[in-house]
Amino acid sequence: MKLYNLELSGNCYKVRLLAALTRIPLENVPMNLADGEHRTAWFTSLNPFQEVPVLVDGETVLRDSQAILVYLGGQLTDRTWWPEDSAAQAEIVQWLSVAASEVRDGPNTARLIRKFGYDHSMEQALLVTRRLLPLLDQHLTTHDWFALNRPTIADCALFPYLALAHEGGVDVTPFSALTHWIDRVRALPGFVPMPGVDR
Ligand SMILES: N[C@@H](CCC(=O)N[C@@H](CS)C(=O)NCC(=O)O)C(=O)O
C-alpha cells in the first residue's frame, strides 16, 4: 500500500501512527506541497481535493485521513482498532467527526496560522479550541481512551493535532486528563513520533 505523505502533516501522521501501532507496512511516497506537487494533474486524478494523505491499495484509492483509518483498521485481523459491530463503530465515528470538525477548526487551524502562515482567523480558531479542550478533558476524566475503553482509530484521529497544539500557541497542560491521555498514546508499543511530537 502506498501512502502519499507529508512529514509535517498531522492528517498524514494519523495514518502513519495507526500503521506503526498495528504493524501495517506502508510505502511512503513523500509529497512536496511547497512546490505544489499536490496540484499537479497526476495527483489531482488521485485526489480532486488536492490534499494529502492519499492511500492507494491496488485499485482502491482513498483520500481523507479518517476514511483511511477506517480502511486500514478494517484490514486488520485484530478488529479491536475498528470493530465490526455497528454500535461500536458509531461510538468511534462520533470521535472521527470531532477530529474532522472541531479539532480541524480549532488547534489544527491555530497551527496552520502560527507555523505555516495561513490566512485564517486566529480568534475563531481559539474560540473553537476553548470550547473543545474542556469537553475532551471532561470525557477523559472518566475514560482512558476516547471510545470502547481501549485504543481505537478514534485515538489515532484525535492525537496528532492535540499533541501538536503547542505549535499553534495552544497550551493543553492545564487539562490534566487530556495530557495524561497524550502520554498514554505515546507509551503505546510501536508508537512513532513526528516533528513537534516527541516519544
Ligand atoms: N479532510 C482531510 C484534510 C486533509 C488536509 O487538509 N491535508 C492538508 C495537509 S495536512 C493538505 O494537503 N493541504 C493542501 C494545501 O494546503 O493546499 C483529511 O482528513 O485527510
Side-chain angles (χ1 to χ4, degrees):
M1 280 186 277
K2 281 186 184 174
L3 177 68
Y4 292 83
N5 177 47
L6 176 71
E7 184 69 11
L8 292 180
S9 156
N11 286 311
C12 293
Y13 179 44
K14 295 174 191 177
V15 179
R16 300 198 302 267
L17 182 59
L18 177 68
L21 294 173
T22 60
R23 315 267 190 273
I24 298 172
L26 291 180
E27 184 188 335
N28 177 27
V29 185
M31 293 288 295
N32 190 335
L33 268 64
D35 282 355
E37 200 178 3
H38 57 312
R39 299 205 185 90
T40 55
W42 72 265
F43 188 75
T44 304
S45 71
L46 290 181
N47 182 4
F49 287 80
Q50 302 181 321
E51 291 171 341
V52 287
V54 167
L55 184 87
V56 176
D57 182 18
E59 297 296 302
T60 304
V61 179
L62 290 170
R63 61 175 163 77
D64 188 85
S65 50
Q66 285 66 230
I68 297 170
L69 292 178
V70 165
Y71 180 76
L72 292 180
Q75 303 285 306
L76 293 166
T77 340
D78 168 13
R79 291 303 301 265
T80 59
W81 294 85
W82 174 248
E84 285 171 275
D85 171 67
S86 58
Q89 288 182 346
E91 189 176 329
I92 292 175
V93 171
Q94 292 181 138
W95 293 109
L96 300 187
S97 292
V98 172
S101 51
E102 286 88 349
V103 172
R104 180 202 59 194
D105 296 342
N108 178 357
T109 297
R111 175 174 178 261
L112 287 177
I113 298 166
R114 196 163 186 258
K115 188 174 168 81
F116 300 105
Y118 276 60
D119 184 18
H120 296 310
S121 162
M122 184 57 99
E123 194 187 345
Q124 179 60 24
L126 294 180
L127 200 70
V128 175
T129 304
R130 278 190 214 107
R131 179 166 177 269
L132 172 69
L133 295 185
L135 288 171
L136 299 181
D137 195 59
Q138 192 182 13
H139 180 75
L140 292 167
T141 305
T142 51
H143 301 80
D144 278 352
W145 306 98
F146 273 99
L148 306 177
N149 297 316
R150 61 174 190 254
T152 67
I153 63 169
D155 300 286
C156 297
L158 289 163
F159 180 79
Y161 290 109
L162 295 170
L164 289 165
H166 61 97
E167 294 193 341
V170 173
D171 182 13
V172 298
T173 56
F175 300 95
S176 61
L178 180 57
T179 307
H180 287 135
W181 167 79
I182 289 175
D183 290 341
R184 271 195 294 284
V185 174
R186 276 205 190 103
L188 286 171
F191 176 84
V192 281
M194 72 165 273
V197 181
D198 298 335
R199 244 175 233 287

